[in-house]
Amino acid sequence: MSTNLTQAITANRLSDGFVVYLTAQDQWSERIEDCQSADDPRSAETLFARAQHHADSGQIVGPYLFKIVRDGGHPVPLSRREIIRTTGPSVGTDLNLK
Amino acid sequence: MYRYDEFDHAFVAERVTQFRDQVARRISGELSEDEFKPLRLMNGLYLQLHAYMLRVAIPYGTLSALQMRKLAHIARTYDRGYGHFTTRQNIQYNWPKLGEVPDILAELAAVEMHAIQTSGNCIRNTTADPLAGVAADEIEDPRAYAEIIRQWSTLHPEFSFLPRKFKIAVTGAPNDRAVTRGHDIGLRMHLDNAGAAGFEVMVGGGQGRTPIMAKTIRAFLPVDQLLSYLEAILRVYNQLGRRDNIYKARIKILVQNVGVEAFADLVEAEWRHIRDGALDLPTEERDRIAAYFSPPPYDDLSEDCPALDNAIDAHPHFAAWMESNVQAHKQPGYAIATISLKPHGGIPGDASAAQMDAVADLSEQYGFGEIRVSYKQNLILPDIPKADLYALWLVLDRWDLATANAGRISDIIACPGLDYCNLANARSIPIAQRISERFSDLARERAIGDLSLNISGCINACAHHHVANIGILGVDKKGTEFYQITLGGVANENATIGSIIGPAFDEWQIADAVETIVDVYLQQREKDEPFIDTYQRIGPDPFKEKLYATDQAR
């Protein structure tokens, strides 16, 4: 179930800084669809502890929890910032280029 | 141009080796992020929203063709084929991979460039008038002094951990094209009664959440005493600046709290201890550095150029470009050409690798292989024979680099905003794109005339919105982007901070709001009065009345 408290974990990958999400398989995926979510503060805390472990081992940088809603099962970030992190720059990266 | 000596080469090469080792230790897990972060920031490497970002210094905004080609090569080889020129005369790459950054730094070192002190609480890249050395109104080329400051401030042991970042700007001309009053220290050259050059020293300027224009603490500082006086200012700041609150840590807050006169007294007292000593600049050393910035071997050309006059008469688009993008040169028969990096609907300040290569080629074909980067996020070819301007324009046009909008409403300064930046609250680029498209009609833009419009995506004000005629600040209101307008800012020698006009507009209203402001101006202006003069004459009320007549703002 998706509640106001539904959260997932994101971070930046050490090697290239790309946005990644913590999965249920304890991996990091570039696709938000793969994220594991937590519906209550306690499971969010557990999720974060797992992410911190990965940060300590140097795979990823700066993990944090962020709020999502489930739209037809798909995780959608609530904040504009996280939406942009999910989709990439809203202006693309090849405008103004020949 | 300045050329590295043996010491410079060795120092930069050593730093590359050092950082290569630090990156390897980070990747192997030997260094934690907490340990690595200050090391990467010392080398200009940030971690932004989507990726790492490398900020490369372009000292006093001067590039050789060789350096520009290297920047293009880096964009193509290590990034996504483009770079972003910034208001601090830097270039930023948005997608470098951590493991490749040492290679990028080695590539930069090969052309005498680096990313040292482009981040962190130290003295940052010293900026200068982008028209240094070629402007008709100049007293002396300020770049020699900017280079001297660069050498003094690079890895200065006392000033490597200041309370906060520190920015210095220098101009050698009375018309300020470097926003000197918007910096921690602004230096503006004057002549004394005997005709000797010296600097007016302005301290405590900055934008951000507390915009303040720098105050003059010394009306005239002989040039040979520049470094001892700067050292005295930095020493007072380093000792008294706040370190407990990041928002109160800039020198502007210290100057404000202590008072300008008291601050000046503190600096003078400190200066008495160190002046007339090791930091004095011997004339021969100044001359040695200044020689690097000697004028190129200009031809003896006539100021009259019938071929140019004919081209202007025959080609209206070229004529429009001449009007907005070409400025008078101090050397007869030459001109200064601004290459707009603001195509209508484009991303302000972005240039593709191919465009960078094209600019490098053009600088060699028509100039002396030199390119400037302006704080307005444009490029400048400083030495173009008037007779070659039309041929230059034809090539620029092919590369989408000939937009005739320098100084006009679509010459928008915009920070990367929430599309890239970790600090931003709102997007800047799409708003800039929308507004520049709105004013893409050449005749209309010419009719509006000179008007500065800058957009920052957060209160840090990287896009200088406070000193724009029309400033736009992106804010976040409960997860939605809104845009607050300030009017009346000025960025020249009469630098002024704009005033908030009223409640903010959402992303779909903001272009209409700008159009409303322009309409009021066009209705109210007298003859050829520029926007800022009309605003200063009639004040904010007519704009406010029209903007908020309907309930379009929130």
Side-chain angles (χ1 to χ4, degrees):
Chain A
M1 129 190 183
S2 176
T3 72
N4 279 343
L5 292 173
T6 302
Q7 296 184 87
I9 291 271
T10 183
N12 292 85
R13 192 161 57 202
L14 176 71
S15 59
D16 51 18
F18 282 14
V19 176
V20 286
Y21 301 94
L22 183 61
T23 72
Q25 292 74 39
D26 215 28
Q27 303 291 315
W28 293 90
S29 169
E30 288 182 41
R31 291 159 31 92
I32 192 171
E33 286 75 12
D34 298 336
C35 76
Q36 183 177 8
S37 52
D39 291 327
D40 60 79
R42 198 166 166 181
S43 43
E45 214 171 284
T46 311
L47 210 54
F48 183 75
R50 265 171 51 205
Q52 191 56 50
H53 178 72
H54 290 289
D56 293 342
S57 71
Q59 288 180 56
I60 50 95
V61 181
Y64 59 89
L65 289 155
F66 68 104
K67 290 181 182 170
I68 58 167
V69 289
R70 291 274 175 186
D71 181 6
H74 297 290
V76 179
L78 281 180
S79 76
R80 168 72 72 180
R81 181 180 192 276
E82 291 307 327
I83 291 169
I84 290 173
R85 284 183 81 249
T86 299
T87 56
S90 69
V91 292
T93 57
D94 56 357
L95 293 182
N96 190 26
L97 305 179
K98 292 239 169 182
Chain B
M1 280 188 62
Y2 181 72
R3 299 302 313 267
Y4 278 12
D5 60 16
E6 277 174 45
F7 174 82
D8 296 320
H9 276 294
F11 160 66
V12 175
E14 190 183 327
R15 176 58 80 89
V16 174
T17 307
Q18 248 177 25
F19 193 58
R20 193 180 293 283
D21 178 58
Q22 290 159 354
V23 168
R25 286 191 287 148
R26 174 65 183 125
I27 290 172
S28 74
E30 197 182 325
L31 291 178
S32 70
E33 184 60 18
D34 285 348
E35 290 165 326
F36 180 64
K37 187 177 174 183
L39 302 174
R40 67 169 161 78
L41 289 178
M42 281 177 194
N43 292 285
L45 187 64
Y46 288 73
L47 185 51
Q48 293 284 42
L49 283 187
H50 313 286
Y52 290 98
M53 180 273 280
L54 182 67
R55 180 181 292 157
V56 177
I58 299 169
Y60 30 89
T62 297
L63 281 173
S64 67
L66 181 74
Q67 290 172 324
M68 183 63 108
R69 286 198 188 96
K70 181 63 84 175
L71 296 180
H73 168 73
I74 290 169
R76 197 180 282 121
T77 310
Y78 301 97
D79 211 90
R80 293 192 177 177
Y82 70 104
H84 177 74
F85 290 96
T86 78
T87 51
R88 298 224 69 257
Q89 296 178 319
N90 297 312
I91 184 170
Q92 295 182 172
Y93 294 105
N94 289 318
W95 308 94
K97 293 184 173 53
L98 179 59
E100 293 182 348
V101 172
D103 295 335
I104 299 175
L105 296 181
E107 297 257 19
L108 290 168
V111 294
E112 307 182 357
M113 295 182 76
H114 60 67
I116 298 166
Q117 290 184 204
T118 59
S119 175
N121 294 335
C122 54
I123 301 171
R124 303 286 187 89
N125 185 33
T126 297
T127 53
D129 183 351
L131 306 190
V134 294
D137 62 344
E138 186 172 271
I139 297 167
E140 199 181 313
D141 190 332
R143 290 175 298 170
Y145 299 100
E147 173 56 30
I148 287 166
I149 293 169
R150 188 185 74 82
Q151 295 190 13
W152 160 77
S153 63
T154 302
L155 293 201
H156 192 303
E158 191 178 334
F159 306 136
S160 291
F161 296 95
L162 294 167
R164 197 75 180 89
K165 59 187 171 183
F166 204 93
K167 300 171 182 176
I168 302 175
V170 196
T171 180
N175 295 301
D176 188 351
R177 292 171 287 262
V179 207
T180 53
R181 282 203 190 275
H183 288 74
D184 295 288
I185 294 178
L187 298 168
R188 188 182 305 167
M189 190 171 275
H190 296 284
L191 295 176
D192 67 8
N193 292 336
F199 285 107
E200 177 184 357
V201 183
M202 300 166 275
V203 174
Q207 298 195 47
R209 68 183 59 231
T210 313
I212 298 173
M213 292 293 99
K215 306 290 189 301
T216 299
I217 63 164
R218 193 165 236 283
F220 189 85
L221 176 73
V223 288
D224 61 326
Q225 300 190 309
L226 177 64
L227 290 188
S228 59
Y229 199 79
L230 292 182
E231 185 130 326
I233 297 170
L234 264 298
R235 189 165 287 171
V236 170
Y237 169 55
N238 205 18
Q239 287 172 346
L240 301 181
R242 286 181 64 168
R243 292 171 189 270
D244 61 326
N245 182 340
I246 192 173
Y247 303 120
K248 308 276 185 193
R250 295 289 289 269
I251 194 173
K252 62 189 173 185
I253 304 296
L254 176 65
V255 174
Q256 195 178 45
N257 289 348
V258 173
V260 179
E261 284 179 21
F263 183 84
D265 289 345
L266 288 167
V267 171
E268 295 284 331
E270 180 59 39
W271 192 41
R272 279 195 287 278
H273 295 298
I274 57 174
R275 62 179 295 183
D276 304 324
L279 285 169
D280 274 7
L281 291 170
T283 307
E284 55 274 23
E285 182 60 11
R286 265 189 294 141
D287 290 347
R288 188 183 72 82
I289 302 283
Y292 286 111
F293 302 97
S294 298
Y298 292 118
D299 287 329
D300 191 12
L301 301 177
S302 165
E303 186 61 7
D304 294 328
C305 186
L308 175 62
D309 297 338
N310 293 340
I312 290 171
D313 289 343
H315 306 284
H317 282 89
F318 173 62
W321 182 77
M322 282 294 301
E323 184 184 283
S324 56
N325 291 41
V326 177
Q327 288 172 271
H329 198 289
K330 69 178 184 186
Q331 180 72 18
Y334 285 83
I336 303 163
T338 295
I339 298 174
S340 171
L341 295 182
K342 320 287 178 66
H344 295 121
I347 298 176
D350 274 15
S352 69
Q355 286 175 322
M356 289 187 232
D357 278 337
V359 170
D361 291 348
L362 288 168
S363 77
E364 286 178 335
Q365 188 177 353
Y366 296 113
F368 297 91
E370 195 173 301
I371 302 136
R372 307 293 178 81
V373 180
S374 76
Y375 86 89
K376 292 185 177 177
Q377 300 179 289
N378 290 318
L379 301 176
I380 292 166
L381 294 178
D383 300 298
I384 305 297
K386 284 178 155 186
D388 291 333
L389 284 166
Y390 180 63
L392 170 72
W393 176 79
L394 285 173
V395 182
L396 288 175
D397 194 40
R398 284 209 293 277
W399 287 101
D400 202 15
L401 290 169
T403 311
N405 63 352
R408 300 276 162 80
I409 191 168
S410 67
D411 185 8
I412 298 170
I413 298 176
C415 68
L418 192 55
D419 281 300
Y420 288 98
C421 178
N422 231 338
L423 302 174
N425 293 319
R427 288 170 298 162
S428 306
I429 297 168
I431 304 305
Q433 290 174 314
R434 225 168 279 162
I435 293 171
S436 73
E437 276 171 347
R438 186 72 71 97
F439 293 95
S440 61
D441 180 75
L442 184 61
R444 185 174 179 221
E445 191 160 25
R446 284 176 87 183
I448 295 165
D450 286 350
L451 195 165
S452 61
L453 190 156
N454 302 347
I455 306 173
S456 301
C458 80
I459 195 63
N460 291 308
C462 291
H464 296 200
H465 69 274
H466 292 297
V467 292
N469 298 166
I470 301 176
I472 298 178
L473 166 65
V475 294
D476 175 278
K477 287 188 183 178
K478 295 179 183 168
T480 304
E481 296 157 295
F482 277 83
Y483 295 89
Q484 194 176 67
I485 294 177
T486 52
L487 293 182
V490 178
N492 62 18
E493 58 284 0
N494 303 311
T496 307
I497 294 162
S499 304
I500 295 171
I501 191 81
F505 299 85
D506 73 23
E507 65 169 306
W508 304 110
Q509 299 166 328
I510 186 69
D512 289 338
V514 170
E515 194 146 26
T516 301
I517 291 165
V518 170
D519 287 344
V520 172
Y521 156 60
L522 292 175
Q523 285 158 15
Q524 298 268 355
R525 79 168 164 194
E526 292 176 352
K527 288 187 182 168
D528 296 329
E529 194 178 46
F531 175 87
I532 191 64
D533 291 1
T534 303
Y535 176 80
Q536 287 170 350
R537 179 171 54 76
I538 67 176
D541 288 346
F543 297 95
K544 223 181 259 188
E545 278 165 25
K546 198 72 186 263
L547 273 174
Y548 300 104
T550 56
D551 190 24
Q552 53 177 320
R554 297 182 196 166

